[in-house]
Amino acid sequence: MDFWPEFLANSWGREFVAGGFGGIAGIISGYPLDTLRIHQQSSNSGSAFSILKNMVKNEGPSSLYRGMGAPLASVTIQNAIVFQMYAIMSRAFDTSVSLSEPPSYTGVALGGFSTGAIQSLVLAPVELVKIRLQLRSSNYTRPGQADSHKGPIDVARSILRREGLRGMYRGFTVTVLRDAPAHCVYFWSYEYIREQFHPGCRKDGQENVRTMLVAGGLAGVSSWVCCYPLDVVKTRLQAQTQSSQKYSGIIDCFRKSVQAEGYGVLWRGLGTAVSRAFVVNGAVFSAYEIALRCLFSNGNIQTEKNTI
């Protein structure tokens, strides 16, 4: 009965809950664009618009949300853990900064890097299931296989049965290589941009919602641009199954993809990813900051009266 009051009385607990709200906002706002990105990366299926038109025409609008159950169920917890972990690690890497002051930019970068690496333990199997569901009508899926996989739990069980626990972590190494530097750029960019738009806000937390949206959106775009080729490789590695092994590893996937489709393949779908990143991460940081302030009840959220 007393768990939640005691949990929320702790700053770590409030970081955890606020991060969960951010995760929910991010998934709901950007999932259709994520589905289009995955289809663009996995094969040469045309532009995002043509993929969108074909999916809606042939499979209905709900196909854009196929596989959302897996990340929605997990990203709430994952995002909560990420923001809580980041809050701890950004302080741990630079203990010279007083707790009354915001973390240094060095602490922010190193905290983001370590957070990205650690959270891959949860993210890798979740994204594996999500990608298999998103592509279950594509050429990566054998005929008849799509009908047997009704949802994320069915897909996870199938992978465990056929490939074991190792199969659930297919693409884990490339996920770490993508997410560690991406989270470093992500959190550093957000803290730097919000401070430039609203000087002093890192300490007093008085920036307006528009600043949160723009700073979060630009941070998301920056983190995706810096790691995008690795994300393409990750998608291709996780899309393949044990019975349809096309690539033996990260380097082999790079080499074969470039040989077959040119260097442009490493940036295929970037426009869709960047558009999604701006929308999703603007929503994530806004929801996180607003929830955090409501939980702490120590500040006003400014609106259009103050501009960026």
Side-chain angles (χ1 to χ4, degrees), residues 154-168:
D154 290 331
V155 173
R157 285 175 177 168
S158 175
I159 294 171
L160 284 170
R161 184 173 63 252
R162 296 176 182 177
E163 305 175 50
L165 185 61
R166 184 176 180 180
M168 285 296 296

Side-chain angles (χ1 to χ4, degrees), residues 42-59:
S42 63
S43 61
N44 191 8
S45 304
S47 68
F49 181 75
S50 64
I51 294 172
L52 172 63
K53 185 173 66 174
N54 289 333
M55 288 185 69
V56 172
K57 179 181 177 181
N58 298 327
E59 305 172 58

Side-chain angles (χ1 to χ4, degrees), residues 67-290:
M68 191 173 77
L72 189 61
S74 61
V75 164
T76 304
I77 301 298
Q78 175 215 334
N79 216 63
I81 293 172
V82 163
F83 274 90
Q84 185 183 47
M85 190 183 306
Y86 163 72
I88 296 169
M89 301 299 281
S90 61
R91 293 288 183 183
F93 279 107
D94 194 350
T95 56
S96 63
V97 179
S98 168
L99 291 177
S100 62
E101 298 291 326
S104 67
Y105 286 118
T106 299
V108 166
L110 294 176
F113 188 93
S114 58
T115 297
I118 295 169
Q119 66 106 38
S120 298
L121 287 166
V122 176
L123 189 63
V126 169
E127 290 212 339
L128 175 70
V129 171
K130 177 178 72 71
I131 287 170
R132 295 283 177 88
L133 279 168
Q134 287 174 319
L135 296 175
R136 67 181 182 181
S137 295
S138 74
N139 293 332
Y140 278 91
T141 308
R142 296 192 306 272
Q145 190 179 28
D147 293 332
S148 64
H149 294 162
K150 300 299 183 183
I153 295 177
D154 290 331
V155 173
R157 285 175 177 168
S158 175
I159 294 171
L160 284 170
R161 184 173 63 252
R162 296 176 182 177
E163 305 175 50
L165 185 61
R166 184 176 180 180
M168 285 296 296
Y169 277 88
R170 183 185 297 276
F172 172 70
T173 301
V174 72
T175 302
V176 174
L177 292 175
R178 180 197 68 171
D179 281 6
H183 278 70
C184 171
V185 172
Y186 182 58
F187 284 109
W188 187 93
S189 297
Y190 176 71
E191 296 292 345
Y192 179 79
I193 292 169
R194 70 191 282 235
E195 185 68 18
Q196 296 305 304
F197 285 165
H198 198 125
C201 70
R202 294 189 68 225
K203 186 172 182 178
D204 61 33
Q206 293 300 306
E207 74 268 38
N208 55 38
V209 175
R210 200 193 315 181
T211 297
M212 299 176 197
L213 287 168
V214 175
L218 292 177
V221 170
S222 300
S223 66
W224 270 100
V225 169
C226 80
C227 71
Y228 197 77
L230 283 169
D231 187 64
V232 173
V233 170
K234 185 187 82 68
T235 294
R236 293 187 168 216
L237 288 174
Q238 291 188 315
Q240 64 183 4
T241 63
Q242 195 173 42
S243 59
S244 60
Q245 196 88 4
K246 188 176 180 181
Y247 311 111
S248 60
I250 298 171
I251 302 299
D252 185 56
C253 183
F254 262 117
R255 183 174 56 82
K256 287 181 178 177
S257 296
V258 171
Q259 284 180 348
E261 303 172 65
Y263 283 101
V265 68
L266 300 176
W267 300 99
R268 181 181 295 156
L270 179 63
T272 305
V274 166
S275 300
R276 171 188 171 274
F278 190 89
V279 172
V280 167
N281 292 288
V284 166
F285 273 110
S286 297
Y288 167 76
E289 297 283 4
I290 292 170

